[in-house]
Amino acid sequence: MFLSNWRALSAPVMMAVVLAVGCGESSTTQSIRVDGSSTVFPISMSVAEDFRTDHPDLKVPVRASGTGGGMKQFSAGDIDICNASRHMTDSEKETCKQNKVDYLELVVAFDGLAVVVNPENDWCDCITIEQLKNIWRPESDGTVTKWSDVNPDWPEEELKLYGPGTDSGTFDYFTEVVCGEARASRPDYTASENDNALVRGVVADKGALCYFGIAYYAENKDELKLLGVKADGECVVPTEATVRDGTYAPLSRPLMIYVNKKSLERPEVAEFVKFYLANAGKAATEVGYVPVNDEVAAESDKLLSEALPKTDKKGT
Amino acid sequence: MSISQHSDGRPYAKFASELFAWTCGFCTFLCIAVLGLLLWNVVSFGWDSLSWKFLTSWPSMKPANSGIWAALVGSLYLIGLTALFSVPIGVGSAIYLEEYAPPSRWRTLVQINIANLAGVPSIVYGILGLGLFVQMMMLGKSVMSGALTLTLVVLPIVILSTQESLRAVPGTIRQASYALGATRWQTIWYQLLPASLPGIMTGVILALSRALGEAAPLVAIGAATYVSFTPQNIFTDEFAALPLQIFNWAQEPKKEFHQLAAAGIVVLLTVLILMNAVAVILRQRFSKKIRW
Amino acid sequence: MATATPKVSALRSSSGGVKYRAAVELIVHSLLLGCAAISIITTVGIVLILLIESLPFFQEVSVWEFLTGTKWSPLLKPQHFGILPLFCGTLLVTAGSAIIAIPIGLGTAIFLSEYASSGFRDVVKPILEILAGIPSVVFGYLAVVFISPLIREVFPSADLFNAANASIVVGFMILPTIVSISEDVLRSVPRSLREGAYALGATKLDVTVGVVVPAAASGIMASFLLAIARATGETMAVALAAGNTPKMTFSFLESIQTMAAYIVQICQGDTPADSLEYRTIFAVGLALFTFTLILNVLAQWILTHVREKYE
């Protein structure tokens, strides 16, 4: 008797409990929604975490659907802040205009792509963009297999390539800048998101060549040899300074956040963006990017304070 | 020819037989020892990271501050909802197949279908969830989507184990009940279900343990990587889950995250062991009440 | 003893009671039928979703190219959509895991069934059941942290994540399946067969290998197939352990990608919905589902139809 009653009761009780707890107010009404580039994600997440210690009641869910996915939501007005590792495309700007989404573009850090080789590689100190293109473009699959294929002065060492995976922003960026088209790359390289795997690979192969974010190089600089990159002018080695002032080109890029101006009307969003700009430098260094220089920082602050609702104009 | 003469023709037969026995024993040993060793390594590696702070913090970019709270709560939500859906549907299906459906080609087809569903990789269920719950039903990447997908994953297990338990109840009980004028449903509700309860509970807990450890369907429906809140609204909010969190940490290159993953595994295994222990206890407790 | 007697009082009710009970029966019957139908709906749902969502994909990429192309690079330009590298990777990992699991599993099953005492069996079988319940991510982690460095010590030229890494852990994952089913089948071989062989002067080896195992062969084969089917669909461990490079190779020391691991990779990324790349999820899912279905159906058929007649 007890048995059947117990069983009969438990289901509705469990249901009631789950639904009661689970049907609370949707968390997104009071949260600051951030989404977008997986490259900028670590910075935003770091800032969001620090922000939470000061404002434990505010929710800042940070997602990394990719710049494209983030832009889609941003231009539809679904999210407050879009992390971006590239500028908005014209069609995205169009969509924003159509949906009456007015936005701010704020640069929060710089990212550099380092090209590294095995320390025993003594024939190459500087590589040109042309040479990189020759190595990495899709047609080179199977044809460019030795260092001597790229430059006859170089030895006939077999070329072993490493790089980030195809779903990373770094990959998109490198291929666009070097090969001319995003995602155009030869497929026969060892792809990995795991920088440890890439570093191990480069260290083991005398003829290895790898590109990844400058942060990974910084963590493993004792084991790798960094190449300078020559575009049109001189050979530039990526350092914090050269990335920041733009001389390390074209393999350095700005990392940005796009902020919906309408969201700035909410005090918590305004607070968060201010906090972001103030702490982006610290977060960027922690994560391994290059903080912005003072000029750019001042520019961003100015843009922000102009965009804030006039009644809420406080100093940064 | 006598037996001893027969054996003399094969001087190494006895030796070969012994060797074979030892080889098989070695296999068994290998089986258990390797797995035991690996698990021991995980547990000892992760033990250091286990702390109250770890259990109650949100995930973070800094390993030292990372915790598993969001994943733990998310998993509990998922399991609760999965149980809510899979138990009635699974037990109901099993009851229908065992007690109501007349033996026919139709029934055989359904049985075969269920057996096949049990062997479908869980990621395919995730794809089904992606197409059906996330997109068509517009539930997005919410706890509800995750729970519904997991329900489909574990449904075959619940159905099959409930069927086994129902079959184990002797036919005489049914006959006696009908003889006294009970309807089919009365027989089921008052006789068969209580009698097969231990087996059903074991099956349910087995299924839920499986659901707890499944990450593939959740990845397929796109569950978020970084969640720093517990879901408030199950129909819209995203969630974290224990196996997903372990998966994410294991993919990170830094060693500190690997240690966190190990600690997460310890938490996951602890919950699984607890669930199985509960199953064993419940089974024994209710088995006592049944006397054929 | 409430469970022993039916509730008689409910039966002797007013004249309206019969109609009420009939109504309840009808409702219950329909509800339960609905429940059972859900399992059919699930299968239909899986097939429908896979087909419907991959249809646009196959309008752009021919089925022939999909099934026979040797390059898989949907996320790179120029795009290639030949599934053979993924299929090759799946076969490699499955074969590797079978090489590990089948001998060890069969050996363990034989030991448990023929040599071990029932006390030993009572301890080992639950342990194996527990091991069967360990989630895939745990094995993936083990591969990343423990197995991978081990492989690199023995083969320094191996990629950091490779097929051998995945094969080893998947092999251990499917071991309990082989052991439990094979052991059940071996034990169900009648004693009379064994005793007859002993009576003819056979050693235990002769009896086991010459009589018992062949008698249980079909069940053992079925257990192998079920385990292999499981290995094929293994996702999380392989996604962590095997690297993520689709390529046609038969080397265990290279980084490869299986069908299931590809689906995980692309679902983790940020491909926009309704794009061609997104639809590869469903196309590859369809291929995977079909493959495991064939294996499972085969295994089930063997288990139920091919039975040794013990006379």
Side-chain angles (χ1 to χ4, degrees), chain A residues 2-278:
Chain A
F2 167 77
L3 205 62
S4 41
N5 286 343
W6 171 85
R7 285 194 72 248
L9 276 176
S10 62
V13 165
M14 203 153 80
M15 192 159 184
V17 167
V18 173
L19 287 177
V21 181
C23 280
E25 197 178 298
S26 174
S27 66
T28 51
T29 51
Q30 282 178 314
S31 55
I32 306 170
R33 294 155 301 177
V34 185
D35 199 346
S37 161
S38 50
T39 316
V40 185
F41 172 77
I43 305 180
S44 293
M45 200 163 115
S46 185
V47 170
E49 269 178 45
D50 293 336
F51 187 69
R52 207 189 326 117
T53 46
D54 294 338
H55 302 83
D57 49 316
L58 285 177
K59 290 206 189 74
V60 190
V62 183
R63 303 237 331 260
S65 311
T67 310
M71 281 297 177
K72 200 161 161 202
Q73 298 173 67
F74 184 76
S75 50
D78 290 336
I79 55 175
D80 305 306
I81 300 177
C82 182
N83 296 326
S85 52
R86 57 161 174 78
H87 291 287
M88 222 186 233
T89 63
D90 291 329
S91 63
E92 284 160 357
K93 288 188 189 148
E94 237 346 276
T95 321
C96 280
K97 215 182 286 179
Q98 274 173 9
N99 294 330
K100 304 216 186 2
V101 170
D102 214 3
Y103 56 85
L104 279 182
E105 180 188 277
L106 303 169
V107 178
V108 296
F110 285 100
D111 180 27
L113 292 188
V115 180
V116 298
V117 293
N118 186 296
E120 286 178 37
N121 180 325
D122 53 6
W123 57 86
C124 185
D125 291 312
C126 187
I127 196 166
T128 66
I129 294 289
E130 271 310 304
Q131 286 168 332
L132 278 174
K133 179 173 181 177
N134 198 10
I135 294 174
W136 282 98
R137 62 187 172 163
E139 299 81 43
S140 304
D141 179 15
T143 50
V144 178
T145 52
K146 301 202 193 81
W147 283 87
S148 48
D149 293 332
V150 183
N151 183 339
D153 299 331
W154 287 340
E156 289 200 5
E157 193 73 42
E158 206 177 312
L159 192 60
K160 292 292 284 280
L161 296 174
Y162 297 83
T166 51
D167 37 73
S168 91
T170 314
F171 169 76
D172 286 347
Y173 180 61
F174 183 83
T175 48
E176 176 149 20
V177 166
V178 168
C179 301
E181 195 191 349
R183 305 207 148 168
S185 163
R186 64 194 288 176
D188 60 337
Y189 70 97
T190 306
S192 178
E193 291 312 320
N194 185 330
D195 66 336
N196 200 26
L198 296 176
V199 170
R200 294 286 126 247
V202 173
V203 165
D205 265 312
K206 188 168 174 197
L209 181 116
C210 175
Y211 70 90
F212 47 32
I214 196 173
Y216 292 156
Y217 168 72
E219 280 173 22
N220 297 286
K221 61 160 80 101
D222 305 324
E223 303 185 76
L224 302 169
K225 174 175 167 180
L226 184 63
L227 291 184
V229 173
K230 183 172 152 140
D232 295 318
E234 303 204 343
C235 198
V236 184
V237 172
T239 62
E240 261 206 25
T242 55
V243 169
R244 196 184 306 179
D245 63 24
T247 50
Y248 182 65
L251 290 178
S252 65
R253 56 175 171 167
L255 300 177
M256 300 160 283
I257 54 170
Y258 284 84
V259 184
N260 189 334
K261 279 196 188 156
K262 191 143 171 284
S263 307
L264 279 176
E265 289 167 18
R266 285 160 51 201
E268 65 263 16
V269 180
E271 193 61 40
F272 178 68
V273 180
K274 265 191 260 166
F275 184 85
Y276 201 123
L277 289 180

Side-chain angles (χ1 to χ4, degrees), chain B residues 145-226:
Chain B
S145 291
L148 288 172
T149 310
L150 284 178
T151 304
L152 291 180
V153 175
V154 303
L155 210 51
I157 305 175
V158 177
I159 295 178
L160 289 172
S161 57
T162 309
Q163 275 188 294
E164 293 258 339
S165 320
L166 285 171
R167 267 184 229 147
V169 178
T172 49
I173 301 283
R174 292 179 183 80
Q175 307 290 357
S177 180
Y178 292 139
L180 287 167
T183 64
R184 189 143 49 174
W185 178 243
Q186 282 172 328
T187 309
I188 295 174
W189 185 253
Y190 294 110
Q191 296 303 321
L192 297 180
L193 277 180
S196 46
L197 202 60
I200 296 179
M201 270 197 273
T202 312
V204 167
I205 294 192
L206 216 86
L208 291 179
S209 314
R210 168 95 189 263
L212 187 66
E214 281 291 347
L218 300 175
V219 173
I221 65 171
T225 53
Y226 168 69

Side-chain angles (χ1 to χ4, degrees), chain C residues 46-107:
Chain C
I46 292 178
V47 175
L48 272 181
I49 292 267
L50 287 175
L51 282 176
I52 291 177
E53 295 279 356
S54 18
L55 216 60
F57 175 82
F58 285 116
Q59 280 166 349
E60 287 199 39
V61 178
S62 74
V63 179
W64 182 250
E65 188 197 328
F66 181 68
L67 289 177
T68 60
T70 55
K71 270 198 188 219
W72 180 259
S73 56
L75 298 169
L76 286 175
K77 294 217 173 69
Q79 291 174 314
H80 293 283
F81 293 101
I83 203 178
L84 283 185
L86 292 182
F87 196 68
C88 195
T90 312
L91 281 181
L92 203 62
V93 171
T94 308
S97 62
I99 291 173
I100 292 177
I102 287 181
I104 300 182
L106 193 56

Side-chain angles (χ1 to χ4, degrees), chain A residues 271-303:
Chain A
E271 193 61 40
F272 178 68
V273 180
K274 265 191 260 166
F275 184 85
Y276 201 123
L277 289 180
N279 289 282
K282 177 170 112 153
T285 322
E286 260 174 22
V287 174
Y289 296 122
V290 177
V292 297
N293 53 21
D294 298 327
E295 267 177 53
V296 176
E299 178 71 30
S300 303
D301 288 336
K302 188 169 119 201
L303 277 174

